[in-house]
Amino acid sequence: LWMNTADAIAWFDSLPPAAEADMLGTWHGDEVPTDHPMDGLLGASSWTGKRFEGPDAVHPLVHDVPFWGERSMNPQFLPLRFIMSLPGRDALLRAAFPLLAPLFFTRKPHARLRTIRFRDRDHAAMCYDDKPINDVFAQIDDKSVLGWMDFKGMEKPYFLKLTRR
C-alpha cells in the first residue's frame, strides 16, 4: 500500500480519531510507504508493532529479533536521525540489528498513551518518554488504526498502520 504524503494525510483526516481505551492491547505494525526517509527502516529492524498495557505503560518498539525472539526496545539511545542518514541503511540494519539489539532490550515501557489535540480533533496518541515523537492514531476499522508519526523537526509525516493481534 504505497501512497504519496498528501494522500496519506487526506486518508488520516477522513478517518475518525482513535480513542485511548481502544488502543489497549498488542498491535502488529506495518509501514505505510509514502517515499519518506524512514520508509523501510522499521521493516529492516524486524519491528513487529507496539504493546499498550495502560496509560503509562506503552512499549513503542516491539521487534522479533533473529536469535532472540520478540523483545521490546528502549528507544532512548537509538540514534534515529543518524541511522536514517546511513548509506545502504536497510541492508546494514538487517545485518547489524540482531547483533546490536541486545544493547537496547528493555522490560520497562518507554511511552505513554494520552489524548491530544491534533489537527483540530482529539486523538489517542502514543507519546515517547525520551524522544520528541508522538504517534497519533485514527480509526480505520474496529481492528486497525492509521498512525501519524509527529516527530519534531521532521519535514513531512511518517505513517504506519497497526492491526490488533
Side-chain angles (χ1 to χ4, degrees):
L1 174 68
W2 184 92
M3 60 181 60
N4 65 42
T5 301
D7 289 342
I9 290 170
W11 183 29
F12 183 91
D13 287 343
S14 76
L15 298 170
E20 270 186 62
D22 296 334
M23 295 303 301
L24 297 177
T26 302
W27 297 79
H28 172 77
D30 290 299
E31 296 178 283
V32 177
T34 59
D35 200 26
H36 189 280
M38 282 185 56
D39 285 355
L41 180 68
L42 290 174
S45 68
S46 305
W47 178 69
T48 59
K50 300 179 182 294
R51 191 170 59 250
F52 296 82
E53 296 173 344
D56 292 309
V58 179
H59 295 266
L61 299 174
V62 179
H63 295 254
D64 189 7
V65 184
F67 312 113
W68 298 98
E70 193 168 274
R71 301 291 175 107
S72 291
M73 300 288 150
N74 181 347
Q76 181 178 5
F77 302 112
L78 291 173
L80 189 55
R81 291 185 195 277
F82 171 73
I83 292 170
M84 285 174 32
S85 70
L86 289 173
R89 174 200 74 199
D90 293 353
L92 184 61
L93 197 53
R94 274 189 204 86
F97 193 75
L99 303 172
L100 298 174
L103 299 172
F104 303 102
F105 288 168
T106 185
R107 288 194 172 113
K108 292 174 44 180
H110 285 273
R112 295 162 289 133
L113 179 61
R114 296 290 186 266
T115 298
I116 66 169
R117 191 93 177 144
F118 185 75
R119 299 178 66 78
D120 295 322
R121 300 190 296 166
D122 293 336
H123 290 264
M126 186 200 73
C127 306
Y128 281 78
D129 292 340
D130 301 303
K131 298 274 187 194
I133 302 171
N134 294 324
D135 289 348
V136 184
F137 302 107
Q139 199 76 44
I140 297 171
D141 57 37
D142 63 340
K143 294 181 182 169
S144 57
V145 296
L146 179 63
W148 174 320
M149 178 187 271
D150 180 35
F151 189 158
K152 186 176 182 177
M154 191 173 280
E155 290 182 23
K156 60 183 184 175
Y158 173 75
F159 291 92
L160 54 112
K161 180 183 174 193
L162 298 179
T163 305
R164 187 177 298 285
R165 281 206 224 161

